[in-house]
């Protein structure tokens, strides 16, 4: 059956590293006004239900040439949504079940609703006598569409769909003219927090912070590309009892705190260790440090100044890492949320969620062996107190619909308990598939080649700055060995080494499922063979070289040329390009950057096959194939951008 007959498109769907943040907090006085604000705002908190009635579907008809229409899967889903409405008008809650065909011989996509519908309608006096007749009806009721070339029925009612290669070509060419932003997926949210990186003040960022920082940055980039307003939060550990010993040690070494700078303190990690050693070995120093905590939390100017100076010096150290990685973050550390803790806990107490247990105040969570401690025996606050206050603030003050925490998998249970407490309080909906929601993005360890946690030979954790600089240095050495120092300017050499070196480190991490451990190996990640950033960056540079060597103005070709997909390998590549939006959507929905990495690597493989079998420069199809080369390069560059990798244009 041929289903190729549509002139319009139906509406689009409307639908951290807290690497080591376990610090101790103590309540501040005179917070009644904050408590009142918390209580009042909490009453206004409501759960947003993003629903759309069928009666106003026509209000969302879009012009494919003018607007972003969502992913290919979403577009096909809208066609089947209309068909299902006609096929089973009494089953209003049926959503199209669309999936790529497992075997491309049968088609590109498949609608799998027939069997599920049969279980719903049988015995209700239906006209249908099984799932296959339902599938036949679904196929028959599809609206006319230029998207679809043909349809067929397989098995118990599966509707296989073959896309029109003319429409695929037209869609790619439209993207080349209007920009890849028109391919951005449509997500059911508008505003999100991504909480990531989050190092502790007065400690160097080490390899353990790498995963949170680059995974969080990639998630933020993908959401931003999908037109979500992302609040990138750096929840640094900038408050707690450890600051007493740091401040007191600072006073000992530098009586005039105003003149203290990075050079004076030197290695911040060494400074922290020295202060900790004094704290553990000198009772008098320990007593002074404990009093310093009280003075700091009371707001005494001298102590606040010292605290701010330590934070400032640490911040400059972090910025060196973020600058290398191209990561942007807004700092809202533990000190920011500290004033909100009493009010948040009062709200939970009013609902009867907080109980006394062995001198502490806790929330018992069903199915957990230990309770969530929110106030310690000594009256101090902790990690859970801060996270509950931060969660409340983000929902009520920042009005976000999705809060994403990127930390190691070891903190999974903690966040499960925090989220459960928030659900019991009514801050979050009970159902995980409703918004607003909170998600923990856990990740595994970075291992050395010995299979143990990645460290230096002296068993110290590896500083992130040193690791990144080593990657750049190794890349630069390889480029010089290949004679690039004679061919390129010093600036080009340095920029390429940086792009490839830093990109290699990022991609080696992101290509793995984040929940697993991975082995850090410079030789493997800097290889130009296999699924590595180096291979992919070089593949992109080769495509750019093909276009340059043609001597054609690619921007002019976009305006006057026509893209066709006559050869089977052209069609495979074109279809892969068009799936970009749904891949980003899947990676966002499941919070898995490796999905995008897999797509990028497969795209490069499809391009290689196309280029091997289809002559580009000098062929009769040169214009069309140059446009296909450019489309591939454009999508690869967007993939690189989402992964935080800088593309290279020549090798």
């Amino acid at each position: 059956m041929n289903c190729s007959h549509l002139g319009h498109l139906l509406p689009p769907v409307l639908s951290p590293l807290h690497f080591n943040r376990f610090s101790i907090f103590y309540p501040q006085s005179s917070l009644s006004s904050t408590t009142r604000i918390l209580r009042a705002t909490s009453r206004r908190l409501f759960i947003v239900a993003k629903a759309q009635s069928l009666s106003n579907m026509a209000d969302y008809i879009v012009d494919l040439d003018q607007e972003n229409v969502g992913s290919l899967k979403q577009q096909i889903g809208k066609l089947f949504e209309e068909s299902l409405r006609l096929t089973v008008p009494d089953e209003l809650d049926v959503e199209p079940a669309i999936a790529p065909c497992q075997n491309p011989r049968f088609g590109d996509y498949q609608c799998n609703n027939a069997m599920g519908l049969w279980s719903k309608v049988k015995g209700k006096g239906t006209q249908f006598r099984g799932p296959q007749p339902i599938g036949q009806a679904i196929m028959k009721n599809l609206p006319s569409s230029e998207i679809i070339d043909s349809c067929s029925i397989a098995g118990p009612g599966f509707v296989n769909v073959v896309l029109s290669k003319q429409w695929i070509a037209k869609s790619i060419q439209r993207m080349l003219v209007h920009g890849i932003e028109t391919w951005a997926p449509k997500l059911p949210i508008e505003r999100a927090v991504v909480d990531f990186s989050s190092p502790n003040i007065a400690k160097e960022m080490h390899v353990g912070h790498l995963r949170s920082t680059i995974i969080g940055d990639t998630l933020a980039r993908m959401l931003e590309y999908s037109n979500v307003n992302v609040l990138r939060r750096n929840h640094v550990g900038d408050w707690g009892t450890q600051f007493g010993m740091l401040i007191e040690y600072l006073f000992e070494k530098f009586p005039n705190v105003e003149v203290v700078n990075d050079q004076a303190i030197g290695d911040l990690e060494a400074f922290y260790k020295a202060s900790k050693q004094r704290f553990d070995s000198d009772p008098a120093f320990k007593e002074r440090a404990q009093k310093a905590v009280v003075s700091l939390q009371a707001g005494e100017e001298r102590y606040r100044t010292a605290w701010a100076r330590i934070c400032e010096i640490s911040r400059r150290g972090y910025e060196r890492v973020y600058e290398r990685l191209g990561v942007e973050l807004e700092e809202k550390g533990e000190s920011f949320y500290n004033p909100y803790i009493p009010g948040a806990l009062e709200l939970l107490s009013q609902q009867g969620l907080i109980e006394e247990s062995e001198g502490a105040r806790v929330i018992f969570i069903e199915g957990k062996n230990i309770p969530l401690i929110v106030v310690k025996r000594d009256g101090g606050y902790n990690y859970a107190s801060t996270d509950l206050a931060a969660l409340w603030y983000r929902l009520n003050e920042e009005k976000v619909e999705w809060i994403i925490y990127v930390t190691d998998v070891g903190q999974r249970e903690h966040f499960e308990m925090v989220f459960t407490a928030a659900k019991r309080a009514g801050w979050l909906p009970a159902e995980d598939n409703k918004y607003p929601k909170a998600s923990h993005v856990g990740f595994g360890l970075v291992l050395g080649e010995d299979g143990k946690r990645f460290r230096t030979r002296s068993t110290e954790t590896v500083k992130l700055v040193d690791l990144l600089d080593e990657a750049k240095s190794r890349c630069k050495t390889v480029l010089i060995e290949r004679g690039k120092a004679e061919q390129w300017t010093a600036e080009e050499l340095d920029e390429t080494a940086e792009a490839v070196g830093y990109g290699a480190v990022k991609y080696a991490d992101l290509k793995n499922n984040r929940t697993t451990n991975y082995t850090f190996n410079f030789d493997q990640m800097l290889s130009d063979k296999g699924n590595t950033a180096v291979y992919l960056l070089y593949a992109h540079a080769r495509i750019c070289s093909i276009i340059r060597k043609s001597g054609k103005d690619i921007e002019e070709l976009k305006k006057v040329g026509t893209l066709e997909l006559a050869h089977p390998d052209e069609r495979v590549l074109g279809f892969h390009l068009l799936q970009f939006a749904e891949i980003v959507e899947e990676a966002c929905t499941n919070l898995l950057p490796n999905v995008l990495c897999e797509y990028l690597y497969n795209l490069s493989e499809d391009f290689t096959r196309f280029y091997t079998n289809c002559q580009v420069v000098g062929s009769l199809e040169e214009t069309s194939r140059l446009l296909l080369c450019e489309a591939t390069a454009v999508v690869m560059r967007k993939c690189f951008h989402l992964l935080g990798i800088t593309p290279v244009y020549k090798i």
Side-chain angles (χ1 to χ4, degrees), residues 141-330:
N141 287 327
L142 275 171
S144 58
S145 169
E146 65 172 342
I147 297 176
I148 298 175
D149 178 68
S150 62
C151 302
S152 61
I153 296 293
F158 300 124
V159 183
N160 291 323
V161 173
V162 176
L163 302 182
S164 162
K165 63 183 179 183
Q166 289 78 17
W167 181 81
I168 295 174
K170 180 181 175 182
S171 299
I172 294 171
Q173 193 154 5
R174 192 159 38 232
M175 178 276 288
L176 287 174
V177 173
H178 297 293
I180 197 168
E181 303 308 316
T182 60
W183 277 7
K186 290 182 175 292
L187 301 182
I189 60 166
E190 297 179 357
R191 191 171 170 87
V193 161
V194 181
D195 181 328
F196 66 106
S197 193
S198 308
N200 282 324
I201 292 295
K203 290 187 176 181
E204 290 268 9
M205 288 184 72
H206 53 79
V207 70
H209 294 99
L210 176 67
R211 301 208 73 180
S212 175
T213 304
I214 64 177
I215 291 171
D217 181 55
T218 293
L219 294 176
R221 286 170 181 263
M222 292 192 299
L223 289 167
E224 287 161 349
Y225 172 62
S226 305
N227 297 304
V228 176
N229 179 13
V230 178
L231 308 181
R232 294 162 161 260
R233 292 289 179 255
N234 197 6
H235 191 129
V236 297
D238 65 350
W239 201 247
T241 54
Q242 76 272 24
F243 278 94
M245 68 182 190
L246 289 167
I247 290 170
E248 196 58 37
Y249 193 69
L250 187 69
F251 287 160
E252 277 192 3
K253 295 293 182 181
F254 309 98
N256 184 3
V257 175
E258 298 292 342
V259 300
V260 174
N261 54 31
D262 307 50
Q263 289 73 30
I265 286 185
D267 188 324
L268 201 58
E269 189 87 17
F271 184 86
Y272 181 93
K273 289 179 179 178
S275 67
K276 182 69 166 65
Q277 186 177 14
R278 284 292 307 279
F279 184 86
D280 292 338
S281 62
D282 187 336
F285 178 86
K286 182 176 183 178
E287 184 178 353
R288 293 197 303 274
Q290 291 169 336
K291 290 179 179 178
V293 174
V294 177
S295 299
L296 171 63
Q297 295 179 343
E300 290 187 28
E301 184 175 355
R302 182 168 179 250
Y303 290 86
R304 282 278 178 170
T305 300
W307 170 76
R309 187 54 53 88
I310 292 170
C311 290
E312 180 186 345
I313 293 170
S314 290
R315 197 171 291 120
R316 284 199 288 268
Y318 303 153
E319 287 303 323
R320 289 192 300 140
V321 173
Y322 298 145
E323 183 180 356
R324 285 165 171 76
L325 292 174
V327 171
E328 294 182 2
L329 280 155
E330 181 182 357

Side-chain angles (χ1 to χ4, degrees), residues 478-489:
V478 170
L479 290 170
I480 291 172
E481 289 173 351
R482 294 183 178 180
K484 300 304 179 184
E486 289 76 34
Q487 301 173 24
W488 296 349
T489 65

Side-chain angles (χ1 to χ4, degrees), residues 76-82 84 94-98 111-113:
I76 295 169
K78 299 314 288 185
L79 299 177
F80 277 96
E81 186 173 357
E82 185 166 308
L84 289 167
V94 176
E95 295 290 332
I98 308 299
C111 176
N112 301 325
N113 284 94

Side-chain angles (χ1 to χ4, degrees), residues 585-605:
E585 180 186 16
E586 180 186 346
C588 286
T589 302
N590 298 320
L591 302 170
L592 291 172
N594 64 293
V595 170
L596 182 62
C597 294
E598 182 181 359
Y599 170 85
L600 175 58
Y601 178 67
N602 289 337
L603 177 61
S604 71
E605 295 290 277

Side-chain angles (χ1 to χ4, degrees), residues 351-527:
Q351 297 187 59
L353 297 181
I354 298 180
E355 305 176 37
E356 298 288 333
S357 177
E358 299 181 9
R361 301 183 68 200
V362 306
I363 299 174
F364 287 99
I365 304 295
E366 186 177 353
K368 301 295 182 182
N369 295 326
I370 57 172
L372 184 68
I373 300 173
V374 295
V375 182
K376 299 184 354 162
R377 292 178 185 175
D378 61 4
Y381 297 140
N382 62 3
Y383 187 43
S385 323
T386 308
D387 278 336
L388 284 166
L391 180 62
W392 182 94
Y393 181 89
R394 289 161 174 175
L395 290 169
N396 291 275
E397 296 297 328
E398 295 181 317
K399 308 293 184 185
V400 300
E401 298 153 282
W402 197 3
I403 308 171
I404 299 165
Y405 299 84
V406 187
T407 79
D408 62 276
V409 291
Q411 296 188 41
R412 179 179 59 193
E413 184 174 52
H414 164 79
F415 280 107
E416 286 177 354
M417 295 173 77
V418 169
F419 299 161
T420 300
K423 289 176 181 178
R424 288 179 60 192
W427 297 359
L428 295 172
E431 301 87 349
D432 289 334
N433 61 346
K434 289 188 177 179
Y435 294 95
K437 72 177 180 179
S439 302
H440 175 234
V441 176
F443 55 82
L445 297 173
V446 181
L447 305 177
E449 293 183 52
D450 59 359
K452 299 178 181 178
R453 191 186 293 263
F454 190 42
R455 297 181 183 275
T456 63
R457 290 181 180 177
S458 59
T459 73
E460 294 289 327
T461 54
V462 179
K463 293 180 181 179
L464 199 41
V465 166
D466 295 342
L467 183 145
L468 293 170
D469 289 349
E470 173 72 9
K472 177 182 175 180
S473 175
R474 287 184 179 224
C475 252
K476 196 168 187 176
T477 299
V478 170
L479 290 170
I480 291 172
E481 289 173 351
R482 294 183 178 180
K484 300 304 179 184
E486 289 76 34
Q487 301 173 24
W488 296 349
T489 65
E491 184 180 10
E492 286 176 326
L493 184 67
D494 194 69
E495 288 177 351
T496 303
E498 190 170 282
V500 177
Y502 297 166
V505 172
K506 288 185 177 185
Y507 190 82
D509 186 312
L510 294 169
K511 74 177 182 180
N512 299 286
N513 186 307
R514 56 174 168 76
T515 61
T516 61
N517 300 336
Y518 85 95
T519 300
F520 192 97
N521 183 302
F522 271 126
D523 292 335
Q524 289 179 6
M525 66 177 58
L526 294 173
S527 171

